[in-house]
Amino acid sequence: MSGEVPSGGEATFPAHPDVDVTLRDGSTVHIRPVVPEDREALRRFLAGLSTESRIFRFFSQVKDLDAIARRFVEVDYRERHGLVARRGGEIVGHGSYALEGPGRAEVALAVADALQGMGLGTILLGHLAAAAAAAGISVFTAEVMPENHRMLTVFRDSGLPLNVRSAYGVIEVEFPTSLTEEARERFERREQLSAIAALRRFLEPRSIAVVGASRRRGTIGGEVLHNLLESGFPGPVYPVSPHPVVQSVVAYPDLERIPGPVDLAVVVVPAAAVVGVARACAAKGVGALVVISSGFAESGEEGRARQAELLEVCRDAGMRLIGPNCMGVINTHPEHPLNATFAPSSPPRGRVGFMSQSGALGLAVIDQARRLGLGLSTFVSVGNKADVSGNDLLEYWESDPETDLIVLYLESFGNPRRFSRLARRIGRHKPILAVKSGRSAAGALATSSHTGALLAASDVTVEALFRQSGVIRADTLGELFHVASLLSTQPPPGGRRVGIVTNAGGLGILCADACADAGLEVPALSEGTRRRLASFLPAQAATANPVDLIASARPEDYERAILALAGSGEVDALIVIFIPPLASHGGGIAAAVHRAATTLGGRLPVLGVFNPEDASAAPAEARVPVYAFPEDAARALGRAATWAEWRRRPEVPSWRPADARTDEARAIVARMLGEGAGWLRPEAVAAILDCYGIRLPETRLAASPEEAAEAARALGGRMALKAFGPGIVHKTEAGAVVLSLRGPRAVRTAAERMRARLAAAGIGVEGFIVQRMLTPGVEMIVGVVQDPLFGPVLACGAGGTAVEVLKDVSVRLTPLGPSEAEEMLRALRTFPLLEGHRGRPRADVDALRELVLRVGALAEDLPELAEVDLNPVIVSPSGAAPVDARVRVEARTPPPPDGAKPRRPLG
């Protein structure tokens, strides 16, 4: 869309906001910039305002609404800007600002009476402030009538620092357009409240319609209705079917004829009929839809178009949508029992919130949870995630007192940067456990730099996201359940020290090996602890760690050994193994293990390795996770220990260089984009890097071998000669670099030969780089690739010509802090080389860490830098300096703000 300024100048339509946002009640509205075609809709909007609302907005009972509507659409999107909020084809909110002086603009808002108090005014204000700041406007002003308490609340709810003063009959408000930390926190809190309200529409409805309910069991429509009726849902369930009675419940031929309101509609009809059903739901005033039907974005182009249309209907009506192509939702809370799935069984009640992106997997999850006794608080199958996403569920589960553990099966991310921020916050008090499918090369990044090659054909970005966010990643579904069983029943370990109690020495040794593989420690026990164990164990028992109670061990031996080890303070967790000898029963042993765990009262985690059937002898209130093999228990404990360590670390803010010249760097990038996207010339690369304190060795550019000789004369000493040009991507492979040259003649001869050799290979030479060589050191690589979803992906590793062979690389997502950069370096296999291997002097690791942080800040501030490649970086005792640098730029459309959903479906 675009519009013309009335004076005849062309107004450039901004890239965003053109988004859907969630209000306090969980419904949605669409926000976009105003266009000339909105004039009549704006007039209707103003006419629909109450007298009080119009007086509060215009300070009088205005008459000529058409003239005001005309003025509202006269915008240039910089000095005069306007936003409209739409629902159901009508405008329900308007916000605008107009420049009143250099860097200052007056802002005004109006919201339909029915939506006042829902947070829409604050949302409009936030988007207007972002647009104004981008246009160089730093201050907003507003005049508010003293009686207009609601508008003053809108300004205060923004979290922006207000300067408020009373004048003649008005209150004058002034505040900056840039978001403060408090403002960001307020907006995040508003997003959370909106997500909670949205999910309550699905998980706590008062009435439900099943559209496509069937009389026949064994069909999806039949099973959904049956499960709803069997779940004990306390409200009315309305089957929508051509049959008058379905499963002994009166049915209705369409939604319109249902006598009461409908909060939630579960849709089980053919894909082609779903959009029509959604329109009928909108007309009925339904608040939420669960679309189980398949045949949408997962099935091809026609399905994608159908899904987009479905989402458009939902957004226009303010309805929320789970699915399509999902298996439904479950709530096990006794006050809100609900099973709107077609699963053949229901999970037990518990404290695990489970989200599955796969419907088929959801069936397996419910079945396995039931077999393991893993209780769920809520289960949500999101399917194609057209609207409600995993991020929305994270916000809901964070505040849900019935959920202590969050488990996710993910196939894709909609907004991974928001996921990271949410997970960092939530993971401090509720563990998040995830399986992410798609580790293959199908998602490889289309890059040509060394950094891009290191990151392509892998899921290192997902691994970095989870590691930095404290998300526990399970490699398999089996491991997912193993870790979930541990964290849902036991406290997290306080460290990595493990005590092993067994009645079979061989299994104890296997368990110790598995603990080492999982990054755990099996420490030797003190003499005092060994004496305490020996005081009640048979003489043949081994009191080292593992503690071997021998085959004749009794239940009381297990119980006393567990309590002795836990009380020693020498271990942080216990793995207890029992293999029943011939003609022996394990029920008594299992009961003893559970009694001991109960006595400990959650001081440390206890894991059992014995026959799960024996666990049935344990009291119901004492639950110890039981594993078939020691390796499973060790891996689960290792995952939990890593999360517990992450949680204990203090939160460190991201780092920014105080000397960064960001505006200057942006100006250079803008100028380069004006000349065309692609790889930058060496002088532009050096200029951008210099803005962030990243400096190359002393360098001269030359257009010919003769100029290269003159550059060599000016530099002196030992020099490197490099050719550059559009066709030269990797200089070493192309034969476009010669090292250790001395004197002008040697440089000129090398340049002439290099140009001839490259010309013979059909590669054009644009010029030469003559560079003073540095003191030798460890060769590293530091680089960034801009991922379209994850943002800047920062890599550091072993560099030089063998970088892609060694593949020793550590990856993080920006922004990051000094401790994360330090951890990034220490994770490298080649880190010992930096610390001084075999008598070599220690390299300046601090300088390398700072270089990593500076490159990260550069990429975070300038998303137009598609690739940054510093290779090699020479790290010596005197510093860390890149000797070769390449930068590729491309235009980027900024993403919508957090909490706002793009107008197109997320898929």
Side-chain angles (χ1 to χ4, degrees):
M1 289 182 288
S2 64
E4 291 188 354
V5 181
S7 62
E10 189 70 22
T12 303
F13 192 81
H16 70 66
D18 188 6
V19 294
D20 294 281
V21 298
T22 309
L23 304 184
R24 283 200 182 105
D25 66 347
S27 65
T28 60
V29 297
H30 178 56
I31 292 179
R32 61 161 172 77
V34 69
V35 292
E37 292 78 12
D38 289 327
R39 178 174 166 181
E40 176 55 28
L42 277 166
R43 189 199 62 77
R44 291 196 303 272
F45 163 68
L46 295 172
L49 293 175
S50 65
T51 300
E52 181 184 61
S53 293
R54 278 204 300 273
I55 290 174
F56 281 164
R57 171 62 180 85
F58 301 107
F59 287 59
S60 66
Q61 177 65 285
V62 293
K63 301 294 186 183
D64 194 351
L65 298 180
D66 188 64
I68 295 174
R70 183 174 64 249
R71 190 170 74 246
F72 279 175
V73 300
E74 293 174 354
V75 295
D76 59 10
Y77 304 115
R78 292 189 61 80
E79 295 183 359
R80 291 182 61 85
H81 199 338
L83 298 175
V84 292
R86 297 179 65 91
R87 176 186 284 180
E90 292 294 333
I91 291 174
V92 294
H94 175 259
S96 63
Y97 71 73
L99 194 70
E100 59 180 11
R104 297 170 61 87
E106 183 179 14
V107 66
L109 305 165
V111 174
D113 290 74
L115 293 183
Q116 290 179 12
M118 294 288 187
L120 179 54
T122 304
I123 296 170
L124 286 167
L125 180 63
H127 283 287
L128 283 170
I137 297 168
S138 57
V139 175
F140 268 168
T141 66
E143 291 187 348
V144 182
M145 294 181 69
E147 302 85 359
N148 194 355
H149 305 296
R150 187 161 275 174
M151 184 54 62
L152 291 172
T153 300
V154 167
F155 290 138
R156 290 196 177 97
D157 282 351
S158 70
L160 295 164
L162 304 183
N163 182 7
V164 182
R165 58 184 178 273
S166 298
Y168 296 104
V170 298
I171 296 175
E172 295 178 345
V173 183
E174 184 176 296
F175 51 93
T177 58
S178 57
L179 290 183
T180 62
E181 192 58 36
E182 181 187 358
R184 292 184 189 279
E185 290 175 1
R186 292 277 188 95
F187 276 100
E188 285 181 4
R189 179 58 181 160
R190 185 203 64 77
E191 291 163 10
Q192 183 181 20
L193 292 174
S194 299
I196 293 168
L199 266 300
R200 280 181 176 157
R201 292 179 169 218
F202 296 96
L203 298 171
E204 300 176 16
R206 292 162 299 181
S207 57
I208 301 175
V210 180
V211 185
S214 174
R215 296 181 298 178
R216 289 188 296 118
R217 294 290 307 280
T219 64
I220 292 179
E223 292 304 308
V224 169
L225 179 60
H226 172 78
N227 286 344
L228 268 173
L229 297 174
E230 287 292 309
S231 68
F233 177 69
V237 177
Y238 302 112
V240 177
S241 168
H243 304 287
V245 176
V246 178
Q247 297 188 36
S248 301
V249 179
V250 174
Y252 300 87
D254 52 54
L255 283 155
E256 185 181 359
R257 301 194 202 187
I258 293 175
V262 175
D263 290 342
L264 172 66
V266 183
V267 182
V268 195
V269 299
V274 168
V275 173
V277 170
R279 290 197 175 97
C281 288
K284 179 68 177 175
V286 175
L289 270 68
V290 173
V291 177
I292 292 176
S293 313
S294 60
F296 290 86
E298 81 284 356
S299 63
E301 197 59 44
E302 183 181 349
R304 279 191 288 272
R306 185 181 294 125
Q307 182 167 306
E309 187 179 5
L310 169 63
L311 184 61
E312 190 80 17
V313 171
C314 292
R315 295 273 171 87
D316 284 346
M319 293 187 299
R320 302 311 303 270
L321 168 67
I322 284 180
N325 187 36
C326 72
M327 65 166 288
V329 299
I330 295 175
N331 189 351
T332 64
H333 193 284
E335 294 182 12
H336 310 285
L338 164 71
N339 183 350
T341 73
F342 52 90
S345 61
S346 296
R349 184 176 179 228
R351 306 191 64 80
V352 178
F354 206 120
M355 186 212 84
S356 175
Q357 201 170 336
S358 163
L361 180 71
L363 294 172
V365 164
I366 292 172
D367 180 63
Q368 183 73 350
R370 189 172 187 83
R371 288 199 305 108
L372 295 175
L374 181 66
L376 304 186
S377 60
T378 43
F379 169 86
V380 179
S381 167
V382 293
N384 293 0
K385 295 196 302 182
D387 179 20
V388 170
S389 68
N391 289 341
D392 297 319
L393 285 162
L394 286 178
E395 299 262 32
Y396 174 80
W397 281 322
E398 178 184 18
S399 67
D400 180 22
E402 303 297 317
T403 300
D404 295 331
L405 169 65
I406 298 168
V407 181
L408 310 172
Y409 172 76
L410 300 167
E411 294 176 350
S412 64
F413 287 99
N415 187 340
R417 289 172 72 83
R418 184 178 171 221
F419 176 91
S420 175
R421 282 189 283 272
L422 291 174
R424 285 176 190 243
R425 185 181 79 212
I426 297 167
R428 294 283 169 182
H429 55 278
K430 292 186 181 183
I432 301 172
L433 174 60
V435 163
K436 167 67 174 67
S437 63
R439 294 171 177 262
S440 68
L445 297 171
T447 58
S448 55
S449 65
H450 288 293
T451 304
L454 287 173
L455 298 180
S458 71
D459 73 338
V460 290
T461 50
V462 175
E463 191 65 42
L465 170 68
F466 286 166
R467 183 190 300 112
Q468 290 173 255
S469 306
V471 175
I472 306 165
R473 183 173 193 175
D475 291 329
T476 65
L477 287 174
E479 188 178 30
L480 183 84
F481 281 105
H482 292 155
V483 181
S485 295
L486 169 59
L487 289 174
S488 64
T489 58
Q490 298 292 304
R496 291 187 172 270
R497 301 171 303 169
V498 182
I500 301 172
V501 180
T502 180
N503 70 336
L507 282 179
I509 295 170
L510 284 175
C511 186
D513 290 343
C515 285
D517 291 342
L520 301 169
E521 177 190 354
V522 181
L525 301 176
S526 68
E527 286 300 320
T529 299
R530 296 186 68 173
R531 280 195 300 271
R532 281 192 293 277
L533 290 167
S535 68
F536 60 84
L537 292 177
Q540 302 93 323
T543 57
N545 194 12
V547 177
D548 185 359
L549 306 181
I550 69 174
S552 60
R554 302 164 300 171
E556 54 265 36
D557 294 331
Y558 267 92
E559 188 169 356
R560 294 179 71 182
I562 291 169
L563 295 176
L565 281 174
S568 71
E570 297 170 26
V571 297
D572 304 302
L574 289 167
I575 296 178
V576 183
I577 305 169
F578 173 72
I579 298 298
L582 189 65
S584 176
H585 298 286
I589 300 292
V593 173
H594 285 278
R595 278 197 307 273
T598 302
T599 303
L600 291 176
R603 295 212 309 268
L604 51 72
V606 179
L607 295 77
V609 179
F610 44 80
N611 188 339
E613 293 179 2
D614 295 333
S616 61
E621 68 276 7
R623 286 203 53 223
V624 168
V626 177
Y627 302 90
F629 301 103
E631 296 87 348
D632 296 335
R635 278 194 292 267
L637 185 58
R639 299 290 193 191
T642 299
W643 170 72
E645 281 182 351
W646 172 86
R647 189 175 67 158
R648 287 193 295 269
R649 291 180 203 151
E651 294 186 64
V652 180
S654 58
W655 184 89
R656 280 194 52 76
D659 57 353
R661 307 191 305 277
T662 305
D663 290 341
E664 183 180 336
R666 284 181 177 141
I668 297 170
V669 171
R671 189 168 64 251
M672 293 299 101
L673 284 172
E675 297 175 7
W679 293 102
L680 300 184
R681 284 177 53 86
E683 60 269 31
V685 171
I688 291 172
L689 295 178
D690 186 71
C691 290
Y692 279 75
I694 302 167
R695 291 171 180 95
L696 299 166
E698 191 175 358
T699 300
R700 298 285 191 278
L701 298 183
S704 65
E706 293 76 19
E707 288 187 16
E710 290 302 314
R713 184 172 287 107
L715 285 175
R718 197 164 61 102
M719 291 166 284
L721 175 72
K722 308 170 189 178
F724 66 89
I728 302 173
V729 178
H730 301 305
K731 295 182 178 67
T732 301
E733 288 87 334
V737 58
V738 179
L739 304 178
S740 299
L741 295 172
R742 290 184 179 274
R745 179 178 297 177
V747 169
R748 176 174 177 168
T749 301
E752 289 172 343
R753 290 174 178 172
M754 187 182 294
R755 184 170 62 180
R757 185 168 58 251
L758 291 170
I763 302 173
V765 174
E766 192 174 320
F768 298 95
I769 299 169
V770 184
Q771 188 178 75
R772 190 190 300 278
M773 291 190 67
L774 299 179
T775 303
V778 181
E779 291 191 354
M780 305 293 291
I781 180 173
V782 178
V784 169
V785 170
Q786 288 281 353
D787 186 280
L789 280 178
F790 291 80
V793 183
L794 180 64
C796 177
T801 57
V803 57
E804 286 151 39
V805 175
L806 296 174
K807 291 186 177 178
D808 181 22
V809 63
S810 190
V811 176
R812 296 293 185 275
L813 304 181
T814 66
L816 74 164
S819 61
E820 290 175 307
E822 180 77 19
E823 181 186 75
M824 187 177 181
L825 299 181
R826 291 185 177 276
L828 295 170
R829 298 193 306 274
T830 49
F831 183 76
L833 295 178
L834 295 168
E835 291 202 302
H837 183 62
R838 292 191 174 182
R840 292 183 182 180
R842 185 181 187 276
D844 192 344
V845 176
D846 291 342
L848 177 59
R849 183 180 64 242
E850 183 175 325
L851 176 63
V852 168
L853 289 167
R854 287 181 180 274
V855 172
L858 169 69
E860 183 75 11
D861 291 344
L862 302 173
E864 298 82 7
L865 304 187
E867 294 182 69
V868 177
D869 205 45
L870 309 183
N871 182 42
V873 174
I874 305 297
V875 189
S876 67
S878 58
V883 298
D884 198 31
R886 303 177 68 243
V887 173
R888 182 172 66 86
V889 297
E890 66 180 32
R892 296 271 174 170
T893 299
D898 269 3
K901 296 181 181 290
R903 192 56 173 168
R904 295 197 176 276
L906 300 177

